[in-house]
Amino acid sequence: MMDIIKVNEESIDNNQLINWLSTLPQDGAIVTFMGKVRCSGEQTLSLYLEHYAEMTEKVLANIIAHARKRWQLSRVAVIHRIGEINVNEQIVFVGVSSAHRADSFAAAEFIMDILKNEAPLWKKERTINSDKWVEAKKTDIDALKKWN
């Protein structure tokens, strides 16, 4: 059992992470989620992400620990970028390996849903017209209901 948890400004190396997730012979399932900054209707230029440095990785580790209690997982990687991230650049990577696909799919979705709601990360959207802090979306909050 191993985890990779990183919160930093560096670009995410998807190939390296997928290779790491794929190395255990007992694992038949690897599920990954790669999220990127998208352009909204107001012509987004970038997102600027801040975080509570002393807590963010601890919260992510706790989310992974909860996922491990629910599903049989081998390896888990959660990488989240901070700082200035331009449209179409990757912002997050969640990867899970397990013996069976059901565990990997469920755990990856769980980790992402909980991360969106509990990780101490704040986003400021920069558009051609203004900068504004992004509030939690109702759809992200509603996604938590399926995990109770």
Side-chain angles (χ1 to χ4, degrees), residues 31 33 59-71 73 78 94 96 102-118 143-144 146-148:
V31 170
F33 172 80
V59 169
L60 296 177
N62 190 43
I63 294 168
I64 293 169
H66 285 307
R68 288 188 175 285
K69 288 178 184 174
R70 294 177 80 136
W71 299 282
L73 309 176
V78 177
V94 173
V96 178
D103 286 347
S104 287
F105 274 114
E109 186 176 15
F110 172 85
I111 290 167
M112 196 61 223
D113 285 346
I114 305 301
L115 180 158
K116 289 281 289 185
N117 286 281
E118 293 185 5
L144 292 176
K146 69 182 159 214
W147 304 115
N148 292 332

PDB file of all heavy atoms in Angstrom, residues 31 33 59-71 73 78 94 96 102-118 143-144 146-148:
ATOM      1  N   VAL A  31      -7.765   3.331 -12.579  1.00  0.00           N
ATOM      2  CA  VAL A  31      -8.687   4.385 -12.982  1.00  0.00           C
ATOM      3  C   VAL A  31      -8.032   5.715 -12.669  1.00  0.00           C
ATOM      4  O   VAL A  31      -7.501   5.910 -11.571  1.00  0.00           O
ATOM      5  CB  VAL A  31     -10.043   4.256 -12.241  1.00  0.00           C
ATOM      6  CG1 VAL A  31     -10.910   5.486 -12.477  1.00  0.00           C
ATOM      7  CG2 VAL A  31     -10.769   3.000 -12.697  1.00  0.00           C
ATOM      8  N   PHE A  33      -8.435  10.133 -13.102  1.00  0.00           N
ATOM      9  CA  PHE A  33      -9.192  11.330 -13.434  1.00  0.00           C
ATOM     10  C   PHE A  33      -8.187  12.457 -13.577  1.00  0.00           C
ATOM     11  O   PHE A  33      -7.345  12.655 -12.704  1.00  0.00           O
ATOM     12  CB  PHE A  33     -10.206  11.681 -12.337  1.00  0.00           C
ATOM     13  CG  PHE A  33     -10.852  13.023 -12.575  1.00  0.00           C
ATOM     14  CD1 PHE A  33     -11.886  13.146 -13.482  1.00  0.00           C
ATOM     15  CD2 PHE A  33     -10.389  14.157 -11.924  1.00  0.00           C
ATOM     16  CE1 PHE A  33     -12.466  14.393 -13.731  1.00  0.00           C
ATOM     17  CE2 PHE A  33     -10.960  15.397 -12.161  1.00  0.00           C
ATOM     18  CZ  PHE A  33     -11.995  15.520 -13.067  1.00  0.00           C
ATOM     19  N   VAL A  59      -5.455  16.720   4.757  1.00  0.00           N
ATOM     20  CA  VAL A  59      -6.843  16.477   4.366  1.00  0.00           C
ATOM     21  C   VAL A  59      -6.895  15.454   3.233  1.00  0.00           C
ATOM     22  O   VAL A  59      -7.722  14.526   3.261  1.00  0.00           O
ATOM     23  CB  VAL A  59      -7.545  17.799   3.963  1.00  0.00           C
ATOM     24  CG1 VAL A  59      -8.891  17.539   3.303  1.00  0.00           C
ATOM     25  CG2 VAL A  59      -7.704  18.701   5.179  1.00  0.00           C
ATOM     26  N   LEU A  60      -6.024  15.581   2.253  1.00  0.00           N
ATOM     27  CA  LEU A  60      -5.997  14.616   1.154  1.00  0.00           C
ATOM     28  C   LEU A  60      -5.652  13.211   1.660  1.00  0.00           C
ATOM     29  O   LEU A  60      -6.259  12.225   1.232  1.00  0.00           O
ATOM     30  CB  LEU A  60      -5.012  15.063   0.073  1.00  0.00           C
ATOM     31  CG  LEU A  60      -5.356  16.376  -0.631  1.00  0.00           C
ATOM     32  CD1 LEU A  60      -4.274  16.747  -1.624  1.00  0.00           C
ATOM     33  CD2 LEU A  60      -6.718  16.316  -1.294  1.00  0.00           C
ATOM     34  N   ALA A  61      -4.710  13.111   2.580  1.00  0.00           N
ATOM     35  CA  ALA A  61      -4.362  11.804   3.161  1.00  0.00           C
ATOM     36  C   ALA A  61      -5.551  11.207   3.900  1.00  0.00           C
ATOM     37  O   ALA A  61      -5.797   9.996   3.837  1.00  0.00           O
ATOM     38  CB  ALA A  61      -3.163  11.950   4.092  1.00  0.00           C
ATOM     39  N   ASN A  62      -6.311  12.045   4.585  1.00  0.00           N
ATOM     40  CA  ASN A  62      -7.493  11.583   5.303  1.00  0.00           C
ATOM     41  C   ASN A  62      -8.572  11.078   4.333  1.00  0.00           C
ATOM     42  O   ASN A  62      -9.225  10.059   4.585  1.00  0.00           O
ATOM     43  CB  ASN A  62      -8.042  12.710   6.178  1.00  0.00           C
ATOM     44  CG  ASN A  62      -9.108  12.240   7.128  1.00  0.00           C
ATOM     45  OD1 ASN A  62      -8.981  11.185   7.749  1.00  0.00           O
ATOM     46  ND2 ASN A  62     -10.169  13.010   7.238  1.00  0.00           N
ATOM     47  N   ILE A  63      -8.747  11.782   3.226  1.00  0.00           N
ATOM     48  CA  ILE A  63      -9.713  11.354   2.205  1.00  0.00           C
ATOM     49  C   ILE A  63      -9.313   9.989   1.659  1.00  0.00           C
ATOM     50  O   ILE A  63     -10.147   9.086   1.512  1.00  0.00           O
ATOM     51  CB  ILE A  63      -9.817  12.404   1.083  1.00  0.00           C
ATOM     52  CG1 ILE A  63     -10.427  13.705   1.621  1.00  0.00           C
ATOM     53  CG2 ILE A  63     -10.635  11.859  -0.096  1.00  0.00           C
ATOM     54  CD1 ILE A  63     -10.304  14.895   0.672  1.00  0.00           C
ATOM     55  N   ILE A  64      -8.031   9.818   1.369  1.00  0.00           N
ATOM     56  CA  ILE A  64      -7.545   8.530   0.867  1.00  0.00           C
ATOM     57  C   ILE A  64      -7.749   7.437   1.913  1.00  0.00           C
ATOM     58  O   ILE A  64      -8.172   6.320   1.588  1.00  0.00           O
ATOM     59  CB  ILE A  64      -6.064   8.635   0.446  1.00  0.00           C
ATOM     60  CG1 ILE A  64      -5.924   9.540  -0.782  1.00  0.00           C
ATOM     61  CG2 ILE A  64      -5.474   7.256   0.179  1.00  0.00           C
ATOM     62  CD1 ILE A  64      -4.497   9.925  -1.118  1.00  0.00           C
ATOM     63  N   ALA A  65      -7.481   7.735   3.173  1.00  0.00           N
ATOM     64  CA  ALA A  65      -7.689   6.754   4.250  1.00  0.00           C
ATOM     65  C   ALA A  65      -9.144   6.300   4.307  1.00  0.00           C
ATOM     66  O   ALA A  65      -9.431   5.107   4.479  1.00  0.00           O
ATOM     67  CB  ALA A  65      -7.253   7.336   5.591  1.00  0.00           C
ATOM     68  N   HIS A  66     -10.073   7.235   4.147  1.00  0.00           N
ATOM     69  CA  HIS A  66     -11.505   6.877   4.127  1.00  0.00           C
ATOM     70  C   HIS A  66     -11.828   5.997   2.925  1.00  0.00           C
ATOM     71  O   HIS A  66     -12.606   5.050   3.036  1.00  0.00           O
ATOM     72  CB  HIS A  66     -12.382   8.120   4.130  1.00  0.00           C
ATOM     73  CG  HIS A  66     -12.449   8.805   5.457  1.00  0.00           C
ATOM     74  ND1 HIS A  66     -12.796   8.162   6.623  1.00  0.00           N
ATOM     75  CD2 HIS A  66     -12.204  10.081   5.812  1.00  0.00           C
ATOM     76  CE1 HIS A  66     -12.762   9.009   7.627  1.00  0.00           C
ATOM     77  NE2 HIS A  66     -12.394  10.190   7.172  1.00  0.00           N
ATOM     78  N   ALA A  67     -11.238   6.319   1.776  1.00  0.00           N
ATOM     79  CA  ALA A  67     -11.460   5.490   0.585  1.00  0.00           C
ATOM     80  C   ALA A  67     -10.926   4.074   0.812  1.00  0.00           C
ATOM     81  O   ALA A  67     -11.568   3.094   0.434  1.00  0.00           O
ATOM     82  CB  ALA A  67     -10.796   6.134  -0.636  1.00  0.00           C
ATOM     83  N   ARG A  68      -9.784   3.974   1.456  1.00  0.00           N
ATOM     84  CA  ARG A  68      -9.194   2.651   1.716  1.00  0.00           C
ATOM     85  C   ARG A  68     -10.066   1.820   2.664  1.00  0.00           C
ATOM     86  O   ARG A  68     -10.057   0.592   2.594  1.00  0.00           O
ATOM     87  CB  ARG A  68      -7.788   2.800   2.285  1.00  0.00           C
ATOM     88  CG  ARG A  68      -6.776   3.260   1.255  1.00  0.00           C
ATOM     89  CD  ARG A  68      -5.361   3.201   1.802  1.00  0.00           C
ATOM     90  NE  ARG A  68      -4.405   3.520   0.765  1.00  0.00           N
ATOM     91  CZ  ARG A  68      -4.043   2.727  -0.237  1.00  0.00           C
ATOM     92  NH1 ARG A  68      -4.574   1.534  -0.332  1.00  0.00           N
ATOM     93  NH2 ARG A  68      -3.153   3.117  -1.125  1.00  0.00           N
ATOM     94  N   LYS A  69     -10.815   2.475   3.549  1.00  0.00           N
ATOM     95  CA  LYS A  69     -11.721   1.739   4.447  1.00  0.00           C
ATOM     96  C   LYS A  69     -12.925   1.184   3.696  1.00  0.00           C
ATOM     97  O   LYS A  69     -13.491   0.172   4.092  1.00  0.00           O
ATOM     98  CB  LYS A  69     -12.193   2.649   5.584  1.00  0.00           C
ATOM     99  CG  LYS A  69     -11.116   2.960   6.592  1.00  0.00           C
ATOM    100  CD  LYS A  69     -11.631   3.896   7.666  1.00  0.00           C
ATOM    101  CE  LYS A  69     -10.502   4.282   8.614  1.00  0.00           C
ATOM    102  NZ  LYS A  69     -10.927   5.307   9.580  1.00  0.00           N
ATOM    103  N   ARG A  70     -13.313   1.849   2.611  1.00  0.00           N
ATOM    104  CA  ARG A  70     -14.510   1.460   1.858  1.00  0.00           C
ATOM    105  C   ARG A  70     -14.222   0.451   0.755  1.00  0.00           C
ATOM    106  O   ARG A  70     -15.097  -0.344   0.413  1.00  0.00           O
ATOM    107  CB  ARG A  70     -15.167   2.685   1.248  1.00  0.00           C
ATOM    108  CG  ARG A  70     -15.722   3.649   2.289  1.00  0.00           C
ATOM    109  CD  ARG A  70     -16.301   4.868   1.629  1.00  0.00           C
ATOM    110  NE  ARG A  70     -17.635   4.563   1.124  1.00  0.00           N
ATOM    111  CZ  ARG A  70     -18.681   5.359   1.269  1.00  0.00           C
ATOM    112  NH1 ARG A  70     -18.559   6.514   1.896  1.00  0.00           N
ATOM    113  NH2 ARG A  70     -19.839   5.020   0.776  1.00  0.00           N
ATOM    114  N   TRP A  71     -13.032   0.531   0.151  1.00  0.00           N
ATOM    115  CA  TRP A  71     -12.702  -0.309  -1.003  1.00  0.00           C
ATOM    116  C   TRP A  71     -11.317  -0.920  -0.841  1.00  0.00           C
ATOM    117  O   TRP A  71     -10.471  -0.392  -0.133  1.00  0.00           O
ATOM    118  CB  TRP A  71     -12.751   0.518  -2.295  1.00  0.00           C
ATOM    119  CG  TRP A  71     -14.113   1.094  -2.541  1.00  0.00           C
ATOM    120  CD1 TRP A  71     -15.204   0.439  -3.037  1.00  0.00           C
ATOM    121  CD2 TRP A  71     -14.536   2.428  -2.299  1.00  0.00           C
ATOM    122  NE1 TRP A  71     -16.270   1.282  -3.102  1.00  0.00           N
ATOM    123  CE2 TRP A  71     -15.898   2.521  -2.659  1.00  0.00           C
ATOM    124  CE3 TRP A  71     -13.911   3.572  -1.802  1.00  0.00           C
ATOM    125  CZ2 TRP A  71     -16.626   3.695  -2.545  1.00  0.00           C
ATOM    126  CZ3 TRP A  71     -14.640   4.742  -1.684  1.00  0.00           C
ATOM    127  CH2 TRP A  71     -15.984   4.794  -2.062  1.00  0.00           C
ATOM    128  N   LEU A  73      -7.988  -1.168  -2.128  1.00  0.00           N
ATOM    129  CA  LEU A  73      -7.147  -0.396  -3.037  1.00  0.00           C
ATOM    130  C   LEU A  73      -5.688  -0.737  -2.838  1.00  0.00           C
ATOM    131  O   LEU A  73      -5.265  -1.039  -1.729  1.00  0.00           O
ATOM    132  CB  LEU A  73      -7.357   1.105  -2.782  1.00  0.00           C
ATOM    133  CG  LEU A  73      -8.808   1.595  -2.775  1.00  0.00           C
ATOM    134  CD1 LEU A  73      -8.861   3.072  -2.421  1.00  0.00           C
ATOM    135  CD2 LEU A  73      -9.474   1.317  -4.110  1.00  0.00           C
ATOM    136  N   VAL A  78      -2.872  11.379  -5.613  1.00  0.00           N
ATOM    137  CA  VAL A  78      -3.651  12.614  -5.701  1.00  0.00           C
ATOM    138  C   VAL A  78      -2.652  13.762  -5.809  1.00  0.00           C
ATOM    139  O   VAL A  78      -1.874  14.005  -4.884  1.00  0.00           O
ATOM    140  CB  VAL A  78      -4.579  12.812  -4.478  1.00  0.00           C
ATOM    141  CG1 VAL A  78      -5.319  14.146  -4.591  1.00  0.00           C
ATOM    142  CG2 VAL A  78      -5.560  11.656  -4.344  1.00  0.00           C
ATOM    143  N   VAL A  94      -6.184  12.317 -10.087  1.00  0.00           N
ATOM    144  CA  VAL A  94      -6.533  11.303  -9.100  1.00  0.00           C
ATOM    145  C   VAL A  94      -6.396   9.968  -9.797  1.00  0.00           C
ATOM    146  O   VAL A  94      -6.997   9.745 -10.854  1.00  0.00           O
ATOM    147  CB  VAL A  94      -7.973  11.488  -8.562  1.00  0.00           C
ATOM    148  CG1 VAL A  94      -8.367  10.310  -7.674  1.00  0.00           C
ATOM    149  CG2 VAL A  94      -8.100  12.789  -7.801  1.00  0.00           C
ATOM    150  N   VAL A  96      -6.135   5.581  -9.086  1.00  0.00           N
ATOM    151  CA  VAL A  96      -6.349   4.489  -8.134  1.00  0.00           C
ATOM    152  C   VAL A  96      -6.089   3.167  -8.833  1.00  0.00           C
ATOM    153  O   VAL A  96      -6.540   2.950  -9.965  1.00  0.00           O
ATOM    154  CB  VAL A  96      -7.810   4.515  -7.616  1.00  0.00           C
ATOM    155  CG1 VAL A  96      -8.063   3.363  -6.667  1.00  0.00           C
ATOM    156  CG2 VAL A  96      -8.136   5.839  -6.963  1.00  0.00           C
ATOM    157  N   ALA A 102     -14.514  -2.144 -10.127  1.00  0.00           N
ATOM    158  CA  ALA A 102     -15.549  -1.483  -9.326  1.00  0.00           C
ATOM    159  C   ALA A 102     -14.923  -0.682  -8.188  1.00  0.00           C
ATOM    160  O   ALA A 102     -15.341   0.447  -7.916  1.00  0.00           O
ATOM    161  CB  ALA A 102     -16.546  -2.503  -8.794  1.00  0.00           C
ATOM    162  N   ASP A 103     -13.933  -1.265  -7.525  1.00  0.00           N
ATOM    163  CA  ASP A 103     -13.258  -0.560  -6.431  1.00  0.00           C
ATOM    164  C   ASP A 103     -12.526   0.681  -6.935  1.00  0.00           C
ATOM    165  O   ASP A 103     -12.603   1.745  -6.323  1.00  0.00           O
ATOM    166  CB  ASP A 103     -12.268  -1.484  -5.719  1.00  0.00           C
ATOM    167  CG  ASP A 103     -12.951  -2.516  -4.840  1.00  0.00           C
ATOM    168  OD1 ASP A 103     -14.164  -2.394  -4.578  1.00  0.00           O
ATOM    169  OD2 ASP A 103     -12.260  -3.463  -4.413  1.00  0.00           O
ATOM    170  N   SER A 104     -11.824   0.549  -8.056  1.00  0.00           N
ATOM    171  CA  SER A 104     -11.063   1.685  -8.587  1.00  0.00           C
ATOM    172  C   SER A 104     -11.972   2.815  -9.047  1.00  0.00           C
ATOM    173  O   SER A 104     -11.713   3.983  -8.753  1.00  0.00           O
ATOM    174  CB  SER A 104     -10.167   1.238  -9.745  1.00  0.00           C
ATOM    175  OG  SER A 104      -9.076   0.491  -9.274  1.00  0.00           O
ATOM    176  N   PHE A 105     -13.034   2.478  -9.785  1.00  0.00           N
ATOM    177  CA  PHE A 105     -13.955   3.517 -10.248  1.00  0.00           C
ATOM    178  C   PHE A 105     -14.600   4.239  -9.073  1.00  0.00           C
ATOM    179  O   PHE A 105     -14.635   5.470  -9.022  1.00  0.00           O
ATOM    180  CB  PHE A 105     -15.053   2.930 -11.147  1.00  0.00           C
ATOM    181  CG  PHE A 105     -14.669   2.827 -12.594  1.00  0.00           C
ATOM    182  CD1 PHE A 105     -14.532   1.589 -13.199  1.00  0.00           C
ATOM    183  CD2 PHE A 105     -14.458   3.960 -13.367  1.00  0.00           C
ATOM    184  CE1 PHE A 105     -14.187   1.482 -14.538  1.00  0.00           C
ATOM    185  CE2 PHE A 105     -14.110   3.862 -14.702  1.00  0.00           C
ATOM    186  CZ  PHE A 105     -13.977   2.621 -15.299  1.00  0.00           C
ATOM    187  N   ALA A 106     -15.138   3.475  -8.123  1.00  0.00           N
ATOM    188  CA  ALA A 106     -15.832   4.090  -6.978  1.00  0.00           C
ATOM    189  C   ALA A 106     -14.876   4.942  -6.154  1.00  0.00           C
ATOM    190  O   ALA A 106     -15.216   6.067  -5.764  1.00  0.00           O
ATOM    191  CB  ALA A 106     -16.479   3.008  -6.118  1.00  0.00           C
ATOM    192  N   ALA A 107     -13.694   4.432  -5.877  1.00  0.00           N
ATOM    193  CA  ALA A 107     -12.742   5.165  -5.044  1.00  0.00           C
ATOM    194  C   ALA A 107     -12.279   6.456  -5.720  1.00  0.00           C
ATOM    195  O   ALA A 107     -12.175   7.500  -5.067  1.00  0.00           O
ATOM    196  CB  ALA A 107     -11.546   4.286  -4.704  1.00  0.00           C
ATOM    197  N   ALA A 108     -12.017   6.412  -7.013  1.00  0.00           N
ATOM    198  CA  ALA A 108     -11.580   7.621  -7.724  1.00  0.00           C
ATOM    199  C   ALA A 108     -12.674   8.692  -7.690  1.00  0.00           C
ATOM    200  O   ALA A 108     -12.400   9.869  -7.436  1.00  0.00           O
ATOM    201  CB  ALA A 108     -11.201   7.289  -9.164  1.00  0.00           C
ATOM    202  N   GLU A 109     -13.916   8.284  -7.906  1.00  0.00           N
ATOM    203  CA  GLU A 109     -15.019   9.245  -7.859  1.00  0.00           C
ATOM    204  C   GLU A 109     -15.206   9.794  -6.447  1.00  0.00           C
ATOM    205  O   GLU A 109     -15.396  10.997  -6.254  1.00  0.00           O
ATOM    206  CB  GLU A 109     -16.315   8.590  -8.346  1.00  0.00           C
ATOM    207  CG  GLU A 109     -17.457   9.570  -8.451  1.00  0.00           C
ATOM    208  CD  GLU A 109     -18.723   8.959  -9.010  1.00  0.00           C
ATOM    209  OE1 GLU A 109     -18.839   7.720  -9.073  1.00  0.00           O
ATOM    210  OE2 GLU A 109     -19.617   9.742  -9.379  1.00  0.00           O
ATOM    211  N   PHE A 110     -15.139   8.921  -5.450  1.00  0.00           N
ATOM    212  CA  PHE A 110     -15.258   9.328  -4.050  1.00  0.00           C
ATOM    213  C   PHE A 110     -14.177  10.352  -3.695  1.00  0.00           C
ATOM    214  O   PHE A 110     -14.460  11.411  -3.132  1.00  0.00           O
ATOM    215  CB  PHE A 110     -15.134   8.090  -3.155  1.00  0.00           C
ATOM    216  CG  PHE A 110     -15.040   8.372  -1.691  1.00  0.00           C
ATOM    217  CD1 PHE A 110     -16.185   8.552  -0.924  1.00  0.00           C
ATOM    218  CD2 PHE A 110     -13.799   8.441  -1.056  1.00  0.00           C
ATOM    219  CE1 PHE A 110     -16.104   8.795   0.442  1.00  0.00           C
ATOM    220  CE2 PHE A 110     -13.703   8.689   0.309  1.00  0.00           C
ATOM    221  CZ  PHE A 110     -14.860   8.867   1.051  1.00  0.00           C
ATOM    222  N   ILE A 111     -12.936  10.030  -4.020  1.00  0.00           N
ATOM    223  CA  ILE A 111     -11.816  10.920  -3.688  1.00  0.00           C
ATOM    224  C   ILE A 111     -12.021  12.294  -4.322  1.00  0.00           C
ATOM    225  O   ILE A 111     -11.866  13.320  -3.667  1.00  0.00           O
ATOM    226  CB  ILE A 111     -10.469  10.294  -4.113  1.00  0.00           C
ATOM    227  CG1 ILE A 111     -10.152   9.096  -3.213  1.00  0.00           C
ATOM    228  CG2 ILE A 111      -9.344  11.332  -4.072  1.00  0.00           C
ATOM    229  CD1 ILE A 111      -9.026   8.202  -3.725  1.00  0.00           C
ATOM    230  N   MET A 112     -12.420  12.317  -5.592  1.00  0.00           N
ATOM    231  CA  MET A 112     -12.607  13.604  -6.276  1.00  0.00           C
ATOM    232  C   MET A 112     -13.773  14.372  -5.674  1.00  0.00           C
ATOM    233  O   MET A 112     -13.670  15.585  -5.446  1.00  0.00           O
ATOM    234  CB  MET A 112     -12.813  13.354  -7.772  1.00  0.00           C
ATOM    235  CG  MET A 112     -12.624  14.580  -8.612  1.00  0.00           C
ATOM    236  SD  MET A 112     -10.962  15.258  -8.490  1.00  0.00           S
ATOM    237  CE  MET A 112     -11.371  16.991  -8.366  1.00  0.00           C
ATOM    238  N   ASP A 113     -14.895  13.700  -5.401  1.00  0.00           N
ATOM    239  CA  ASP A 113     -16.054  14.379  -4.818  1.00  0.00           C
ATOM    240  C   ASP A 113     -15.739  14.966  -3.448  1.00  0.00           C
ATOM    241  O   ASP A 113     -16.111  16.103  -3.147  1.00  0.00           O
ATOM    242  CB  ASP A 113     -17.241  13.413  -4.686  1.00  0.00           C
ATOM    243  CG  ASP A 113     -17.922  13.119  -6.013  1.00  0.00           C
ATOM    244  OD1 ASP A 113     -17.671  13.834  -6.996  1.00  0.00           O
ATOM    245  OD2 ASP A 113     -18.722  12.155  -6.054  1.00  0.00           O
ATOM    246  N   ILE A 114     -15.041  14.211  -2.620  1.00  0.00           N
ATOM    247  CA  ILE A 114     -14.718  14.699  -1.276  1.00  0.00           C
ATOM    248  C   ILE A 114     -13.677  15.818  -1.358  1.00  0.00           C
ATOM    249  O   ILE A 114     -13.789  16.846  -0.678  1.00  0.00           O
ATOM    250  CB  ILE A 114     -14.251  13.553  -0.357  1.00  0.00           C
ATOM    251  CG1 ILE A 114     -15.283  12.418  -0.319  1.00  0.00           C
ATOM    252  CG2 ILE A 114     -13.949  14.072   1.044  1.00  0.00           C
ATOM    253  CD1 ILE A 114     -16.662  12.801   0.162  1.00  0.00           C
ATOM    254  N   LEU A 115     -12.677  15.634  -2.202  1.00  0.00           N
ATOM    255  CA  LEU A 115     -11.635  16.658  -2.390  1.00  0.00           C
ATOM    256  C   LEU A 115     -12.272  17.998  -2.773  1.00  0.00           C
ATOM    257  O   LEU A 115     -11.911  19.033  -2.214  1.00  0.00           O
ATOM    258  CB  LEU A 115     -10.682  16.182  -3.493  1.00  0.00           C
ATOM    259  CG  LEU A 115      -9.507  17.054  -3.891  1.00  0.00           C
ATOM    260  CD1 LEU A 115      -8.438  16.193  -4.550  1.00  0.00           C
ATOM    261  CD2 LEU A 115      -9.868  18.177  -4.807  1.00  0.00           C
ATOM    262  N   LYS A 116     -13.215  17.984  -3.717  1.00  0.00           N
ATOM    263  CA  LYS A 116     -13.847  19.232  -4.177  1.00  0.00           C
ATOM    264  C   LYS A 116     -14.536  19.981  -3.032  1.00  0.00           C
ATOM    265  O   LYS A 116     -14.681  21.194  -3.083  1.00  0.00           O
ATOM    266  CB  LYS A 116     -14.891  18.936  -5.263  1.00  0.00           C
ATOM    267  CG  LYS A 116     -14.323  18.500  -6.587  1.00  0.00           C
ATOM    268  CD  LYS A 116     -13.801  19.631  -7.416  1.00  0.00           C
ATOM    269  CE  LYS A 116     -14.912  20.483  -7.954  1.00  0.00           C
ATOM    270  NZ  LYS A 116     -14.486  21.525  -8.853  1.00  0.00           N
ATOM    271  N   ASN A 117     -14.967  19.253  -2.015  1.00  0.00           N
ATOM    272  CA  ASN A 117     -15.723  19.859  -0.925  1.00  0.00           C
ATOM    273  C   ASN A 117     -14.914  20.095   0.343  1.00  0.00           C
ATOM    274  O   ASN A 117     -15.255  20.980   1.121  1.00  0.00           O
ATOM    275  CB  ASN A 117     -16.944  18.994  -0.594  1.00  0.00           C
ATOM    276  CG  ASN A 117     -18.022  19.122  -1.639  1.00  0.00           C
ATOM    277  OD1 ASN A 117     -18.761  20.095  -1.652  1.00  0.00           O
ATOM    278  ND2 ASN A 117     -18.093  18.157  -2.548  1.00  0.00           N
ATOM    279  N   GLU A 118     -13.879  19.311   0.585  1.00  0.00           N
ATOM    280  CA  GLU A 118     -13.192  19.373   1.881  1.00  0.00           C
ATOM    281  C   GLU A 118     -11.761  19.886   1.842  1.00  0.00           C
ATOM    282  O   GLU A 118     -11.255  20.347   2.862  1.00  0.00           O
ATOM    283  CB  GLU A 118     -13.219  17.990   2.544  1.00  0.00           C
ATOM    284  CG  GLU A 118     -14.618  17.565   2.944  1.00  0.00           C
ATOM    285  CD  GLU A 118     -14.635  16.260   3.716  1.00  0.00           C
ATOM    286  OE1 GLU A 118     -13.553  15.714   4.036  1.00  0.00           O
ATOM    287  OE2 GLU A 118     -15.742  15.788   4.006  1.00  0.00           O
ATOM    288  N   ALA A 143     -23.060  16.107  -4.763  1.00  0.00           N
ATOM    289  CA  ALA A 143     -22.328  14.862  -5.021  1.00  0.00           C
ATOM    290  C   ALA A 143     -21.963  14.137  -3.729  1.00  0.00           C
ATOM    291  O   ALA A 143     -21.793  12.912  -3.729  1.00  0.00           O
ATOM    292  CB  ALA A 143     -21.083  15.152  -5.854  1.00  0.00           C
ATOM    293  N   LEU A 144     -21.856  14.866  -2.634  1.00  0.00           N
ATOM    294  CA  LEU A 144     -21.526  14.240  -1.344  1.00  0.00           C
ATOM    295  C   LEU A 144     -22.613  13.304  -0.855  1.00  0.00           C
ATOM    296  O   LEU A 144     -22.328  12.345  -0.117  1.00  0.00           O
ATOM    297  CB  LEU A 144     -21.262  15.307  -0.287  1.00  0.00           C
ATOM    298  CG  LEU A 144     -20.020  16.163  -0.469  1.00  0.00           C
ATOM    299  CD1 LEU A 144     -19.965  17.231   0.615  1.00  0.00           C
ATOM    300  CD2 LEU A 144     -18.771  15.320  -0.449  1.00  0.00           C
ATOM    301  N   LYS A 146     -24.312  10.980  -2.179  1.00  0.00           N
ATOM    302  CA  LYS A 146     -24.229   9.562  -2.560  1.00  0.00           C
ATOM    303  C   LYS A 146     -23.217   8.775  -1.708  1.00  0.00           C
ATOM    304  O   LYS A 146     -23.227   7.558  -1.728  1.00  0.00           O
ATOM    305  CB  LYS A 146     -23.944   9.409  -4.036  1.00  0.00           C
ATOM    306  CG  LYS A 146     -22.564   9.838  -4.460  1.00  0.00           C
ATOM    307  CD  LYS A 146     -22.415   9.680  -5.952  1.00  0.00           C
ATOM    308  CE  LYS A 146     -21.298  10.558  -6.440  1.00  0.00           C
ATOM    309  NZ  LYS A 146     -21.535  11.092  -7.741  1.00  0.00           N
ATOM    310  N   TRP A 147     -22.374   9.480  -0.975  1.00  0.00           N
ATOM    311  CA  TRP A 147     -21.346   8.797  -0.184  1.00  0.00           C
ATOM    312  C   TRP A 147     -21.725   8.643   1.286  1.00  0.00           C
ATOM    313  O   TRP A 147     -20.977   8.077   2.060  1.00  0.00           O
ATOM    314  CB  TRP A 147     -20.007   9.527  -0.314  1.00  0.00           C
ATOM    315  CG  TRP A 147     -19.599   9.650  -1.741  1.00  0.00           C
ATOM    316  CD1 TRP A 147     -19.465  10.806  -2.471  1.00  0.00           C
ATOM    317  CD2 TRP A 147     -19.285   8.590  -2.645  1.00  0.00           C
ATOM    318  NE1 TRP A 147     -19.097  10.515  -3.741  1.00  0.00           N
ATOM    319  CE2 TRP A 147     -18.965   9.170  -3.891  1.00  0.00           C
ATOM    320  CE3 TRP A 147     -19.246   7.204  -2.539  1.00  0.00           C
ATOM    321  CZ2 TRP A 147     -18.613   8.417  -5.019  1.00  0.00           C
ATOM    322  CZ3 TRP A 147     -18.902   6.448  -3.658  1.00  0.00           C
ATOM    323  CH2 TRP A 147     -18.590   7.055  -4.873  1.00  0.00           C
ATOM    324  N   ASN A 148     -22.860   9.173   1.700  1.00  0.00           N
ATOM    325  CA  ASN A 148     -23.310   9.045   3.102  1.00  0.00           C
ATOM    326  C   ASN A 148     -23.957   7.706   3.359  1.00  0.00           C
ATOM    327  O   ASN A 148     -24.479   7.063   2.543  1.00  0.00           O
ATOM    328  CB  ASN A 148     -24.279  10.180   3.443  1.00  0.00           C
ATOM    329  CG  ASN A 148     -23.564  11.517   3.454  1.00  0.00           C
ATOM    330  OD1 ASN A 148     -22.374  11.586   3.711  1.00  0.00           O
ATOM    331  ND2 ASN A 148     -24.277  12.570   3.144  1.00  0.00           N
TER     332      ASN A 148
END
